[in-house]
């Protein structure tokens, strides 16, 4: 990507900047919530590109909240400590010991690694978990998976304060129990990010994934559906176009839309600087659900 950019002529550079300028103006002062995961989190080169994108957005005055998961890293740590995983209907059961490891990996390692990279790129970032300032409150999921929870309340004041001061909040999705419950819960990062976007009245909610977006044919990237009106989602599920792992991602977009977020996107985190392409070009990338 960098080599391709270096080969652009002066005229091509000017075309890129002229095309991006209206988008810069449109997004300044707006809140964008980005859920970060998938290959963009595992691949070091892609990770650096994502952080550069986030810092650029912040530098020009866009208020970005970065919400991250960390499933593969949690799995790796469990293997290292010899902790055997238990599953209920294909879903991981999180006992008390596992929850301690989840909290250590998400809030102690990954969160601070991300903050460190953002600082190296020139950004102003602060790491938080859902426990800090009671940002996320949760209860156990209906299916008993131990300390796996669902968000019942978002208290965004700490995020609002940081955004107003020009910081990039980086949120790991460990939540505190509801009033009277001092337990910690592991929260699905996509769901948490959508609910944070609603609480902040964000202008855009973006999920960085490891797929191009919603495809009519899962084996053919050229069948990407670029725009989906939310009223069409039911029929797309019924015909199997939206299926398996794409269903929860779409449902998170619906959560955000129904909560008042006007734009939601599922974009391919495997494409370097996909976030900038989506934000600042006529071309766009991935699928928009509106």
């Amino acid at each position: 990507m960098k080599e391709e950019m270096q080969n652009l002529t002066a005229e091509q550079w000017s075309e890129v900047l002229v095309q991006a300028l209206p988008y810069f103006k449109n997004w300044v002062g707006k809140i964008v919530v980005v859920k970060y995961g998938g290959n963009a989190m595992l691949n070091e080169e892609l990770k650096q590109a994502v952080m550069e994108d986030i810092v650029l957005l912040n530098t020009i005055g866009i208020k970005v909240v970065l919400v991250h998961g960390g499933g593969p890293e949690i799995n790796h740590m469990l293997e290292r400590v010899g902790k055997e995983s238990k599953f209920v209907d294909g879903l991981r059961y999180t006992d008390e010991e596992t929850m301690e490891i989840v909290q250590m990996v998400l809030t102690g390692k990954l969160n601070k690694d991300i903050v460190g990279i953002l600082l190296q790129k020139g950004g102003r970032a602060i790491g938080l978990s859902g426990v800090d300032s009671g940002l996320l409150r949760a209860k156990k999921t209906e299916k008993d998976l131990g300390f796996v929870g669902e968000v019942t309340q978002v208290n965004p004041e700490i995020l609002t304060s940081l955004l107003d001061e020009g910081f990039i909040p980086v949120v790991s999705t460990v939540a505190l129990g509801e009033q009277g419950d001092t337990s910690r819960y592991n929260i699905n990062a996509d769901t948490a990010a959508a609910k944070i976007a609603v609480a902040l009245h964000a202008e855009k909610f973006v999920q960085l994934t490891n797929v191009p977006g919603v495809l009519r044919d899962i084996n053919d990237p050229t069948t990407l559906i670029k725009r989906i009106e939310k009223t069409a989602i039911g029929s797309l599920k019924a015909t199997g176009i939206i299926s398996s792992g794409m269903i929860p991602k779409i449902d998170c977009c619906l959560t955000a839309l129904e909560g008042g977020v006007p734009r939601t996107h599922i974009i391919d985190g495997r494409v370097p600087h996909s976030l900038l392409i989506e934000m600042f070009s006529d071309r766009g990338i991935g699928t928009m659900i509106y």
Side-chain angles (χ1 to χ4, degrees):
M1 173 66 88
K2 289 184 178 179
E3 291 179 0
E4 292 175 1
M5 296 299 287
Q6 289 171 352
N7 291 331
L8 291 178
T9 65
E11 184 178 356
Q12 288 170 327
W13 264 112
S14 65
E15 288 177 1
V16 169
L17 294 173
V18 167
Q19 185 183 123
L21 183 58
Y23 293 97
F24 284 7
K25 292 180 177 179
N26 181 62
W27 286 108
V28 168
K30 305 289 179 59
I31 296 176
V32 176
V33 175
V34 178
K35 189 275 174 173
Y36 174 51
N39 284 15
M41 199 169 189
L42 296 176
N43 181 290
E44 189 59 35
E45 183 179 350
L46 291 175
K47 183 188 294 185
Q48 297 292 326
V50 170
M51 297 308 143
E52 289 170 354
D53 291 358
I54 297 293
V55 171
L56 175 58
L57 297 180
N58 176 251
T59 300
I60 66 173
I62 299 171
K63 299 178 177 182
V64 184
V65 177
L66 187 61
V67 181
H68 69 87
E73 290 78 5
I74 292 169
N75 293 339
H76 179 64
M77 183 59 71
L78 290 172
E79 292 173 4
R80 285 183 60 183
V81 301
K83 175 68 176 175
E84 185 176 354
S85 297
K86 174 185 173 184
F87 293 88
V88 177
D89 296 334
L91 300 172
R92 183 191 299 282
Y93 182 89
T94 302
D95 58 22
E96 189 170 358
E97 184 181 8
T98 301
M99 188 60 223
E100 290 179 1
I101 292 171
V102 167
Q103 183 165 266
M104 176 181 67
V105 172
L106 289 182
T107 68
K109 183 183 186 300
L110 282 176
N111 189 268
K112 301 312 173 188
D113 286 349
I114 293 169
V115 169
I117 297 173
L118 288 169
L119 293 174
Q120 290 172 355
K121 301 292 183 184
R124 301 174 68 211
I126 291 182
L128 302 166
S129 76
V131 174
D132 292 306
S133 192
L135 171 59
L136 299 176
R137 293 277 185 172
K139 65 178 182 180
K140 280 189 174 185
T141 54
E142 290 186 13
K143 184 186 292 292
D144 185 8
L145 298 171
F147 293 94
V148 175
E150 57 186 60
V151 175
T152 58
Q153 185 179 358
V154 180
N155 301 303
E157 292 82 3
I158 183 66
L159 298 180
T160 302
S161 296
L162 291 171
L163 290 171
D164 288 345
E165 292 296 323
F167 289 99
I168 304 166
V170 180
V171 181
S172 64
T173 54
V174 173
L176 192 63
E178 295 180 300
Q179 200 69 32
D181 180 1
T182 59
S183 300
R184 307 289 195 273
Y185 291 99
N186 186 17
I187 306 297
N188 177 276
D190 294 306
T191 304
K195 294 198 173 185
I196 287 172
V198 170
L200 287 171
H201 307 291
E203 191 70 22
K204 185 189 284 278
F205 169 53
V206 180
Q207 295 180 76
L208 283 172
T209 69
N210 55 1
V211 294
V214 178
L215 304 174
R216 291 193 179 277
D217 178 352
I218 195 170
N219 298 310
D220 184 359
T222 65
T223 63
L224 174 70
I225 306 175
K226 293 186 177 182
R227 295 167 62 91
I228 299 175
E229 190 172 359
K230 72 175 185 177
T231 54
I233 288 173
S235 63
L236 291 173
K237 285 182 177 180
T239 56
I241 291 173
I242 295 175
S243 62
S244 61
M246 186 56 70
I247 291 176
K249 297 183 186 305
I250 291 291
D251 288 346
C252 288
C253 289
L254 283 176
T255 295
L257 287 170
E258 290 166 359
V261 179
R263 299 176 182 86
T264 69
H265 301 260
I266 297 171
I267 67 175
D268 194 344
R270 299 170 301 178
V271 177
H273 302 293
S274 57
L275 189 54
L276 295 187
I277 296 170
E278 172 52 47
M279 295 282 295
F280 299 136
S281 74
D282 297 334
R283 167 184 161 192
I285 195 168
T287 298
M288 178 173 78
I289 298 93
Y290 65 99

